[in-house]
C-alpha cells in the first residue's frame, strides 16, 4: 500500500475526519497499525506510512512510553489526554525543530467489528511560547478541555456516519413473529437470521426494555394499529447499547392482515441530544425554583437518578477542607436518591472519608474521579457505610464530581451504577458536569447563604445565655433561626436569679433582622438585667417603664417588644408569677391536667414609643406541675392570618404536651407548629414541680 493511501475499509466512515481542524489518526487492532491520517495531521507532522505500527510510524511524536498507553486505552476504553508532548519533527517550511503537541486518545469501533484507537492531536508550540512570555507559566487546563471537547465532537461525528448505513428492514407474519430480517439488523445486533426469527429479536434488546417491547408489539398486532413506532435499546456489536427506532405497518389482503413490514433506524445521536437538553433543563429548573440548599441538592439528585445513575449522594464539605487535601475529610450528606429496589443509606448522615479514598482524590484534583470495578470492590477505600452499601447493591462503577465555589471544593456529587446496568459512560460524566455547571450559580449562592447563616446563628447563640439551674424548678430554652434569612435577628430570651431568691424570666424581640437589630437586642437585654437587679422588689411594669426611658439613649427609631416575669413563692409556699407585657404576644400557662390559657391582664405598648399611660403589672398563681411558656411571634404569625388564630393554634398544640418532659415540650412545639420560616423563633419555658 502506498504512503498516504486510505485503506478501502476506511473510505466510508473515516473520511468524516478529512476536514477536521485538528490532526486525526486512527489505528487498527492490538498491534495498533496505522489505518488513517488526515490532512491536518500531515501538515503538522508530515506524512506517515499507512499500515506500519503506530509506535514505529509515530515514534518521534509519541515517544518511548506510548506503546503501553495505547494498550491501556484499547483495554480499558478510557480516554487519555496528554497536554504536552515534545517532539522534534520536520518544520513545514524548513528543517527539523522542537515542537509541542497535545494528544488525546480514545477507543473507536471500526467497520467489520474491529476495535481501534482514535488520536486527536493539536500543536501547542505557539500558544505555549505566548503563555510563557505573558504569564511566565503555561495554564494548560483550558486547552486540555478544548481538546477533550473536540475529541467528543469527532467521536459523535464518526459514530453517526458509521451507523447511517445501518438501515434495517424486517418482515413478520400476521401474528407478529419475525420471518425475515435484513443484513442491517445482523450487522448492528450480531444476530443471525435464525436467532432473530419469531421473538428471538427481543434477546438483542436491553433487558429492561424486553418486557415493554413485547407488550407494545403484541398489543399493536392484536389491534392492527395502522402504524406502530417505538424506541428501544439494542446491544450493538461493540457491546454498547444504542437507541433504535422501530416502525412497522400492516399489509392487508382481502381485508385481513397477512404480514407486517417494518424498518428500523439508529437514532442514538438524536436521543442523546434530546436527553441532554431535557436533563439540563431539569437541572436548571431545580436550581432556579428552589433556594434552600438541601432541597436544591435533593432535586438535582432526583434528576440524576435513574437517568444517569442508580444512586446519587451529594455531600457538603466543611469550610477550608479543600485547603487540606492530604487529610481525611468528614462530610455531611445533604441529599440522596436511590433507584427503587436498591438498599438505602440513612439520610442527613456524617461520613468519614479516608485520605486515600476516591472522595479525597476528587477534592484534591478538583476534577471528576471516574472508575469501574468488580461488583462491590472499589479500587480505593470508601467511608464505612458506603463500602457496605457498594457490596450490598453490587455497584461496579462510580463517578465523583466536585463542586468548586470561590476556589474551594464546597460539595461533592457521588454517583454509582449497580447490577446489570452498564458502567457510567464518559459522556454521561460529562453531561453530569454540564448539569452542575448549569446549576453552579444557584448552588454557589445557596452555599454562601448557608455559610453566612451559620456564622449568624453562632453569633446569635453567643448572645443568648443558658438558663440557670434553680432548685425545684425546670427551665428550657430553644432558638430556631429563620431558614430564609442569612443575618442575625433581634429575638432573645433570658433568665436570672436575684439575690432575694426571686427568678426573672424574659422574652423579647427587637425590630429588624440585621446586625443593627442584634446590637440593639444585646443592649436592651443587658439594660433590662441591670434595671431589674438594681431594684429587686420593683414590679415588672416599673422595670419596663424605666427601660422604655433608657431606650431613648440608643436611637429614636429603636422599638422592641418584651415580656418580663418575676417568679417567687408566697408565704404558703405557692409559686406566684408577677408579669408585665410590652407589645409582645402574651405568656401561655398550661396546667398539669392539660388546660391552657393566655395571661393577658398586663398589656402595655411596645418599648421605644413614648406614651402617657401608666405601665401595668399582674399577678397569677402557678399551680403545681404547670408550665409557663414565653415565645416570640415567629412561632405563631402567618402571613394573611389573624394573630388570634395563631394563638389558638399554639394553645391546642401545647395542651396535649402538658405531661411531657420540658425539653420535649419545647421541641414538639417547634415541630408541630406550622411556622413560616420568615422569622426567627425564640422560646423559654418554665415548669413548677408537683407538691410531691
Amino acid at each position: 500500500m502506498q504512503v498516504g493511501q486510505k485503506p478501502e475499509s476506511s473510505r466510508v466512515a473515516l473520511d468524516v475526519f478529512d476536514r477536521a481542524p485538528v490532526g486525526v489518526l486512527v489505528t487498527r487492532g492490538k498491534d495498533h497499525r496505522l489505518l488513517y491520517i488526515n490532512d491536518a495531521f500531515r501538515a503538522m507532522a508530515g506524512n506517515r506510512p499507512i499500515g506500519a505500527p503506530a509506535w514505529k510510524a509515530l515514534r518521534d511524536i509519541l515517544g518511548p512510553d506510548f506503546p503501553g498507553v495505547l494498550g491501556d486505552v484499547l483495554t480499558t476504553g478510557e480516554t487519555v489526554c496528554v497536554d504536552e508532548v515534545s517532539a522534534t519533527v520536520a518544520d513545514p517550511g524548513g528543517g527539523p525543530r522542537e515542537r509541542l503537541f497535545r494528544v488525546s486518545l480514545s477507543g473507536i469501533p471500526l467497520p467489520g467489528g474491529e476495535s481501534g484507537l482514535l488520536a486527536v492531536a493539536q500543536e501547542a508550540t505557539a500558544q505555549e511560547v505566548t503563555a510563557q512570555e505573558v504569564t511566565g507559566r503555561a495554564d494548560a487546563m483550558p486547552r486540555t478541555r478544548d481538546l477533550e471537547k473536540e475529541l467528543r465532537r469527532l467521536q459523535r461525528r464518526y459514530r453517526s456516519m458509521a451507523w447511517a448505513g445501518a438501515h434495517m428492514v424486517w418482515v413478520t407474519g400476521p401474528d407478529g413473529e419475525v420471518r425475515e430480517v435484513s443484513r442491517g439488523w445482523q450487522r448492528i445486533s450480531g444476530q443471525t437470521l435464525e436467532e432473530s426469527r419469531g421473538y428471538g429479536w427481543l434477546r438483542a434488546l436491553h433487558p429492561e426494555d424486553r418486557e415493554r417491547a413485547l407488550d407494545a408489539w403484541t398489543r399493536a398486532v392484536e389491534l392492527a394499529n395502522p402504524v406502530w413506532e417505538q424506541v428501544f435499546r439494542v446491544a450493538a456489536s461493540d457491546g454498547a447499547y444504542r437507541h433504535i427506532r422501530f416502525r412497522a405497518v400492516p399489509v392487508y389482503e382481502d381485508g385481513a392482515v397477512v404480514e407486517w413490514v417494518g424498518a428500523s433506524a439508529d437514532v442514538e445521536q438524536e436521543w442523546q441530544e434530546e436527553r441532554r437538553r431535557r436533563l439540563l433543563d431539569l437541572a436548571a429548573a431545580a436550581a432556579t425554583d428552589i433556594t434552600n440548599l438541601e432541597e436544591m441538592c435533593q432535586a438535582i439528585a432526583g434528576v440524576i437518578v435513574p437517568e444517569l445513575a442508580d444512586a446519587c449522594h451529594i455531600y457538603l464539605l466543611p469550610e477550608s477542607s479543600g485547603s487540606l487535601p492530604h487529610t481525611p475529610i468528614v462530610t455531611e450528606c445533604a441529599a440522596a436518591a436511590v433507584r427503587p429496589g436498591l438498599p438505602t443509606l440513612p439520610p442527613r448522615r456524617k461520613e468519614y472519608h479516608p485520605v486515600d479514598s476516591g472522595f479525597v482524590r476528587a477534592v484534591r484534583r478538583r476534577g471528576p474521579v471516574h472508575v469501574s470495578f468488580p461488583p462491590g470492590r472499589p479500587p480505593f477505600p470508601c467511608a464505612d457505610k458506603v463500602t457496605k452499601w457498594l457490596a450490598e447493591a453490587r455497584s461496579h462503577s462510580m463517578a465523583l464530581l466536585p463542586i468548586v465555589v470561590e476556589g474551594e471544593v464546597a460539595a461533592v456529587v457521588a454517583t454509582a451504577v449497580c447490577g446489570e446496568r452498564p458502567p457510567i459512560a464518559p459522556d454521561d460524566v460529562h453531561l453530569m458536569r454540564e448539569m452542575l455547571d448549569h446549576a453552579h450559580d444557584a448552588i454557589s449562592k445557596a452555599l454562601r447563604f448557608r455559610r453566612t447563616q451559620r456564622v449568624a446563628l453562632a453569633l446569635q447563640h453567643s448572645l443568648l445565655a443558658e438558663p440557670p439551674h434553680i432548685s425545684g424548678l425546670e427551665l428550657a430554652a430553644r432558638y430556631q433561626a429563620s431558614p430564609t434569612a442569612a443575618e442575625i435577628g433581634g429575638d432573645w430570651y433570658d433568665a436570672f436569679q436575684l439575690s432575694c431568691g426571686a427568678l426573672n424570666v424574659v422574652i423579647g424581640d427587637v425590630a429588624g433582622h440585621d446586625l443593627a437589630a442584634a446590637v440593639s437586642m444585646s443592649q436592651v437585654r443587658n439594660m433590662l438585667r441591670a434595671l431589674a437587679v438594681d431594684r429587686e422588689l420593683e414590679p415588672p411594669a416599673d422595670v419596663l417603664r424605666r427601660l422604655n426611658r433608657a431606650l431613648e439613649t440608643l436611637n429614636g427609631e429603636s422599638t422592641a417588644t418584651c415580656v418580663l416575669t418575676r417568679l417567687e413563692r408566697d408565704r404558703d409556699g405557692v409559686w406566684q408569677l408577677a408579669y408585665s407585657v410590652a407589645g409582645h404576644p402574651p405568656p401561655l400557662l398550661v396546667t398539669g391536667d392539660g388546660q391552657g390559657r393566655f395571661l393577658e391582664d398586663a398589656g402595655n405598648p411596645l418599648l421605644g414609643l413614648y406614651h402617657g399611660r401608666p405601665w401595668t403589672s399582674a399577678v397569677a398563681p402557678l399551680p403545681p406541675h404547670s408550665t409557663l411558656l414565653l415565645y416570640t411571634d415567629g412561632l405563631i404569625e402567618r402571613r394573611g392570618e389573624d394573630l388570634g388564630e395563631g394563638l389558638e393554634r399554639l394553645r391546642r398544640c401545647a395542651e396535649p404536651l402538658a405531661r411531657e418532659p420540658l425539653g420535649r415540650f419545647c421541641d414538639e412545639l417547634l415541630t408541630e407548629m406550622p411556622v413560616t420560616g420568615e422569622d426567627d423563633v425564640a422560646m423559654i419555658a418554665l415548669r413548677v414541680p408537683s407538691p410531691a
Side-chain angles (χ1 to χ4, degrees):
M1 185 179 292
Q2 296 181 356
V3 174
Q5 181 181 352
K6 297 176 185 176
E8 186 67 26
S9 63
S10 72
R11 289 183 178 176
V12 175
L14 296 180
D15 58 6
V16 298
F17 302 133
D18 284 352
R19 296 182 176 272
V22 293
V24 176
L25 63 87
V26 178
T27 70
R28 177 207 301 269
K30 295 182 179 180
D31 54 353
H32 309 296
R33 293 189 176 273
L34 192 59
L35 180 65
Y36 168 88
I37 59 175
N38 70 346
D39 294 337
F41 191 91
R42 292 189 184 92
M44 285 191 298
N47 217 336
R48 305 288 159 157
I50 298 296
W55 66 268
K56 184 176 181 180
L58 304 170
R59 182 184 299 161
D60 54 343
I61 294 179
L62 300 183
D65 297 329
F66 263 77
V69 175
L70 296 175
D72 291 342
V73 174
L74 191 62
T75 302
T76 66
E78 295 187 0
T79 300
V80 172
C81 291
V82 181
D83 189 62
E84 295 181 7
V85 177
S86 178
T88 302
V89 297
D91 191 285
R97 70 182 181 93
E98 185 82 5
R99 302 167 74 181
L100 292 174
F101 296 90
R102 294 191 297 276
V103 181
S104 182
L105 299 167
S106 70
I108 184 174
L110 296 173
E114 289 187 276
S115 297
L117 294 180
L118 171 67
V120 177
Q122 188 175 28
E123 185 170 357
T125 308
Q127 296 96 318
E128 189 72 12
V129 171
T130 302
Q132 291 175 349
E133 290 175 351
V134 174
T135 66
R137 63 181 179 87
D139 187 3
M141 187 61 70
R143 297 197 304 274
T144 301
R145 292 199 188 103
D146 291 342
L147 189 61
E148 291 175 343
K149 183 178 180 181
E150 185 68 16
L151 174 64
R152 286 191 297 271
R153 187 181 68 81
L154 293 176
Q155 287 174 326
R156 288 196 298 269
R157 177 190 293 182
Y158 171 79
R159 291 191 182 110
S160 298
M161 289 295 294
W163 293 109
H167 193 75
M168 299 152 279
V169 179
W170 40 276
V171 179
T172 79
D175 55 359
E177 294 190 3
V178 170
R179 294 175 176 174
E180 304 173 26
V181 294
S182 67
R183 292 183 179 179
W185 173 258
Q186 297 178 45
R187 264 198 317 272
I188 189 173
S189 68
Q191 285 188 324
T192 65
L193 174 60
E194 291 303 319
E195 291 172 334
S196 304
R197 286 185 184 276
Y199 289 95
W201 59 277
L202 289 169
R203 289 191 290 271
L205 271 57
H206 192 285
E208 295 177 1
D209 290 353
R210 292 171 188 169
E211 184 176 352
R212 179 169 62 91
L214 178 61
D215 290 344
W217 177 235
T218 302
R219 188 164 52 252
V221 171
E222 291 176 352
L223 299 177
N225 291 342
V227 178
W228 177 75
E229 184 173 324
Q230 295 282 335
V231 175
F232 304 114
R233 291 167 289 180
V234 173
S237 56
D238 62 357
Y241 283 96
R242 299 185 66 82
H243 287 79
I244 305 297
R245 182 175 59 232
F246 293 76
R247 181 180 294 154
V249 295
V251 178
Y252 287 88
E253 285 186 10
D254 300 327
V257 176
V258 294
E259 65 180 14
W260 289 75
V261 176
S264 302
D266 183 278
V267 293
E268 179 67 20
Q269 187 63 30
E270 174 186 336
W271 186 87
Q272 292 287 356
E273 288 298 327
E274 190 281 330
R275 182 182 72 151
R276 175 181 174 275
R277 289 192 299 269
R278 177 169 52 84
L279 293 181
L280 290 179
D281 289 344
L282 289 174
T288 302
D289 299 340
I290 303 172
T291 56
N292 179 272
L293 178 60
E294 282 76 8
E295 292 179 3
M296 185 185 302
C297 291
Q298 190 61 50
I300 292 174
V303 175
I304 292 176
V305 175
E307 286 278 0
L308 301 174
D310 291 324
C312 176
H313 295 82
I314 301 181
Y315 299 94
L316 301 180
L317 274 68
E319 293 187 46
S320 302
S321 61
S323 62
L324 299 171
H326 301 288
T327 61
I329 298 176
V330 178
T331 64
E332 173 190 355
C333 183
V338 179
R339 177 173 58 82
L342 292 177
T344 59
L345 287 169
R348 297 292 188 272
R349 64 189 183 277
K350 299 281 187 180
E351 283 190 2
Y352 173 89
H353 304 273
V355 67
D356 53 346
S357 65
F359 191 98
V360 176
R361 186 187 306 175
V363 174
R364 184 167 59 244
R365 291 172 50 179
R366 299 192 181 187
V369 171
H370 178 206
V371 293
S372 296
F373 45 88
R377 295 163 55 191
F380 41 65
C382 302
D384 292 341
K385 293 179 180 178
V386 174
T387 300
K388 183 179 179 182
W389 183 89
L390 292 173
E392 291 179 353
R394 293 187 55 77
S395 176
H396 56 81
S397 183
M398 295 175 62
L400 304 167
L401 298 93
I403 300 176
V404 180
V405 176
E406 297 178 350
E408 293 284 343
V409 178
V412 172
V413 179
T415 61
V417 298
C418 312
E420 300 300 322
R421 185 170 184 162
I424 301 174
D427 284 347
D428 284 348
V429 176
H430 179 71
L431 178 54
M432 283 188 275
R433 292 178 68 180
E434 282 191 282
M435 292 167 60
L436 296 177
D437 287 343
H438 272 59
H440 185 271
D441 289 345
I443 294 174
S444 299
K445 183 178 179 181
L447 282 166
R448 288 194 296 268
F449 180 89
R450 177 188 175 93
R451 289 177 176 177
T452 302
Q453 191 180 50
R454 283 181 171 178
V455 172
L457 186 60
L459 178 58
Q460 183 86 45
H461 281 296
S462 71
L463 297 174
L464 299 175
E466 285 293 323
H469 295 282
I470 306 297
S471 178
L473 293 175
E474 293 182 65
L475 283 169
R478 297 290 186 269
Y479 182 86
Q480 179 173 287
S482 165
T484 62
E487 297 188 78
I488 190 171
D491 294 30
W492 95 92
Y493 57 78
D494 199 4
F496 51 94
Q497 191 170 22
L498 304 176
S499 61
C500 64
L503 174 67
N504 281 66
V505 182
V506 188
I507 197 83
D509 186 0
V510 173
H513 207 292
D514 51 23
L515 185 59
V519 172
S520 296
M521 176 267 285
S522 181
Q523 292 172 327
V524 172
R525 172 177 169 273
N526 291 335
M527 284 193 296
L528 180 59
R529 264 205 183 207
L531 294 173
V533 172
D534 178 53
R535 301 179 186 177
E536 293 188 350
L537 300 180
E538 191 172 51
D542 291 341
V543 177
L544 292 182
R545 175 180 55 79
R546 291 194 292 135
L547 176 62
N548 192 47
R549 293 188 59 184
L551 287 180
E552 298 176 4
T553 64
L554 297 179
N555 61 70
E557 299 179 358
S558 292
T559 59
T561 65
C562 181
V563 177
L564 173 61
T565 69
R566 175 190 175 94
L567 187 71
E568 55 189 336
R569 293 180 185 270
D570 63 12
R571 294 178 180 178
D572 299 325
V574 177
W575 289 99
Q576 298 287 334
L577 179 75
Y579 66 97
S580 185
V581 180
H584 200 88
L588 174 64
L589 179 63
V590 181
T591 60
D593 58 357
Q595 299 297 315
R597 67 183 180 92
F598 291 100
L599 306 181
E600 301 178 300
D601 295 334
N604 300 280
L606 56 81
L607 299 168
L609 296 180
Y610 174 79
H611 62 92
R613 295 160 48 188
W615 289 74
T616 62
S617 295
V619 177
L622 296 183
H625 209 80
S626 60
T627 302
L628 176 70
L629 176 67
L630 308 182
Y631 53 92
T632 56
D633 53 10
L635 186 65
I636 58 172
E637 285 188 347
R638 300 181 69 179
R639 191 185 300 273
E641 180 183 80
D642 183 77
L643 184 61
E645 296 181 36
L647 291 171
E648 180 61 20
R649 184 167 52 247
L650 173 61
R651 184 185 63 79
R652 291 196 304 268
C653 286
E655 287 178 339
L657 304 173
R659 289 288 180 173
E660 296 291 344
L662 192 59
R664 184 172 180 181
F665 176 92
C666 296
D667 293 334
E668 290 288 339
L669 287 180
L670 286 175
T671 302
E672 294 184 13
M673 288 292 289
V675 297
T676 64
E678 297 177 0
D679 198 2
D680 300 344
V681 176
M683 64 169 63
I684 185 167
L686 177 147
R687 178 164 293 167
V688 177
S690 62

